Amino acid sequence: MDLKEIGKRAENEIRTAQNQNDLKKIVQKYLGKTGEITQILHSLKNLSNDEKKQLGQDVNILKTELMNLISSKEIILAKKELEEIENKTDIDLTMPARQASVGHLHPITQVEDRIIEIFSNLGFEVAQGPEAETEWYNFDALNIPKDHPARDLWDTFWLKTEKKMLLRTHTSPVQVRYMEKHVPPIKIIAPGRIFRYEATDSSHEINFYQLEGLMIDRDITLSDLKGIIEKFFQAFFGGETEIRLRPSFFPFTEPSVEVDIKCLLCKGKGCSACSQRGWLEMGGAGMVHPEVLKSVGLNPKQWQGFAFGMGLDRLTMMKYKVDNIRLFYSGDLRFLEQF
Ligand code: DAH
């Protein structure tokens, strides 16, 4: 059998193969167990040594050549198949893969972090307390006895526990817990989650966040409160922010004040955001009531200081111009992705 003729034939078949299956058949036909070239190798044993050597070499060269041809044809066919798939479907194989989405901190957490940063610069430390609180810390120690009407303002969820417990209605109990364990001077803020039994609307939620502040030393006055609060708002909202204190009432402070900032939108002229008042209410504050100091074993004649409480949700709403508190708790990505 003429090796050259076989070689030419095989080469031709490889070139004209239409798919991988054709190629497989060609391999079998020439190089398989009973393939034409394999048979020539088997027939070598009947030849003389010289002939064996020569033909053996020629067969091996041809084998290698054909194997190389087959591998390059395989690549060409694979490319062709891919193109065919691409043409047949709408799938764009060159499109970049979809990126894994990475989350980020909730806007309220971002604001909390910023607030902690500002107060840290003013020398305040961060304190924390439990969300499920005892009646004593949430009310009694803060000078709100059982039948005091102020309790009605802070209606909440009571827990079915042996000791009377509730979901805290404000972060003020952290003041008491901290003063019990630390000797003055004290400068802390306590951001945290609180709960109220409320009908929800665009400015009320049953669960929201507060920021408590407390500063105790030997001769702290309301002007220290004003200075610190003003510094905070100016750092948070911008240097030109103005504040004012209005007389108010809280059982745990005396005197008590309400803290307002000049409306950021109308700059005090009056607009819908501030109900035409020109000022926005941001929180409560005052000088810590002597009864509260006594309840933690501090002598009010030696120590005094101020406390304040602000809504973190409110601060976040003002900062980012969000008009509905419920958006923060909706888990709606269309809202959250904007921050
Ligand atoms: N705890 C009050 C509330 O939830 C806010 C508050 C007012 C906190 C006056 C204070 C304060 O520390 O001095 O409405």
Side-chain angles (χ1 to χ4, degrees):
M1 208 170 297
D2 184 1
L3 200 57
K4 271 201 183 137
E5 188 269 324
I6 296 179
K8 270 213 178 109
R9 201 153 29 85
E11 218 181 292
N12 207 27
E13 280 173 39
I14 293 170
R15 279 194 216 291
T16 53
Q18 289 303 306
N19 49 44
Q20 308 282 356
N21 214 20
D22 286 354
L23 274 187
K24 257 192 214 155
K25 279 188 194 145
I26 297 167
V27 172
Q28 258 172 19
K29 181 172 168 193
Y30 294 96
L31 303 164
K33 261 189 198 156
T34 52
E36 289 183 38
I37 296 176
T38 318
Q39 271 173 11
I40 294 180
L41 278 174
H42 285 322
S43 67
L44 286 182
K45 55 180 183 280
N46 306 323
L47 302 175
S48 71
N49 272 352
D50 277 354
E51 283 174 322
K52 228 188 244 174
K53 204 175 161 197
Q54 186 56 48
L55 194 60
Q57 254 180 17
D58 291 349
V59 171
N60 277 329
I61 290 171
L62 179 64
K63 252 177 102 171
T64 324
E65 270 175 16
L66 291 182
M67 290 309 287
N68 285 344
L69 267 181
I70 286 168
S71 332
S72 19
K73 183 72 184 188
E74 256 170 4
I75 296 173
I76 294 170
L77 284 176
K79 273 192 190 157
K80 205 176 98 189
E81 273 169 30
L82 210 70
E83 271 169 25
E84 274 167 15
I85 295 173
E86 263 187 314
N87 291 341
K88 248 190 250 161
T89 65
D90 292 336
I91 302 169
D92 178 0
L93 298 177
T94 63
M95 213 163 95
R98 194 181 287 184
Q99 288 205 322
S101 61
V102 180
H104 62 73
L105 293 177
H106 190 278
I108 292 184
T109 313
Q110 291 182 33
V111 161
E112 182 181 330
D113 287 351
R114 172 69 185 132
I115 289 171
I116 291 174
E117 184 180 53
I118 296 170
F119 276 103
S120 303
N121 291 341
L122 293 168
F124 284 72
E125 277 176 50
V126 177
Q128 268 175 345
E131 289 173 4
E133 193 49 283
T134 63
E135 186 180 21
W136 166 258
Y137 284 113
N138 197 79
F139 293 122
D140 302 270
L142 288 162
N143 199 30
I144 317 173
K146 293 222 161 20
D147 44 10
H148 196 288
R151 282 207 185 193
D152 300 342
L153 293 174
W154 288 291
D155 198 3
T156 189
F157 305 96
W158 292 88
L159 305 176
K160 282 189 178 151
T161 41
E162 227 170 273
K163 216 196 246 166
K164 231 179 154 189
M165 288 184 83
L166 61 149
L167 295 183
R168 65 177 179 189
T169 61
H170 50 179
T171 43
S172 301
V174 184
Q175 287 183 28
V176 181
R177 286 181 174 276
Y178 195 88
M179 283 192 283
E180 276 179 348
K181 296 230 166 76
H182 299 81
V183 277
I186 289 170
K187 273 174 103 177
I188 54 155
I189 52 164
R193 186 179 182 186
I194 66 155
F195 307 83
R196 302 262 172 105
Y197 181 63
E198 300 259 16
T200 58
D201 61 29
S202 61
S203 54
H204 294 89
E205 254 297 355
I206 55 158
N207 123 142
F208 52 104
Y209 287 80
Q210 268 192 348
L211 174 81
E212 190 77 14
L214 175 72
M215 181 169 181
I216 305 284
D217 208 331
R218 291 195 189 273
D219 45 21
I220 301 291
T221 69
L222 261 188
S223 53
D224 294 302
L225 167 72
K226 195 170 181 199
I228 291 283
I229 292 277
E230 192 172 62
K231 279 269 171 309
F232 163 68
F233 279 118
Q234 290 180 346
F236 189 72
F237 285 122
E240 41 339 310
T241 313
E242 275 180 58
I243 70 155
R244 75 173 182 190
L245 305 181
R246 273 182 298 122
S248 184
F249 170 79
F250 297 100
F252 33 88
T253 43
E254 179 60 36
S256 302
V257 293
E258 214 81 49
V259 182
D260 294 346
I261 60 169
K262 197 175 254 187
C263 181
L264 300 163
L265 292 182
C266 64
K267 310 265 181 268
K269 287 195 198 81
C271 66
S272 61
C274 59
S275 310
Q276 309 304 328
R277 287 194 206 108
W279 294 86
L280 294 160
E281 198 179 301
M282 295 308 297
M287 298 303 291
V288 179
H289 198 290
E291 287 302 322
V292 176
L293 293 172
K294 275 191 221 159
S295 77
V296 295
L298 290 178
N299 180 353
K301 294 228 157 59
Q302 274 184 335
W303 304 104
Q304 74 275 167
F306 64 76
F308 60 84
M310 289 186 255
L312 272 183
D313 304 65
R314 189 92 208 271
L315 285 165
T316 312
M317 287 167 84
M318 306 294 325
K319 182 143 185 122
Y320 295 117
K321 317 246 180 321
V322 176
D323 61 3
N324 191 339
I325 188 173
R326 289 172 295 190
L327 287 167
F328 290 136
Y329 306 98
S330 65
D332 190 334
L333 289 178
R334 289 169 302 178
F335 170 70
L336 293 172
E337 277 169 354
Q338 297 175 56
F339 298 91

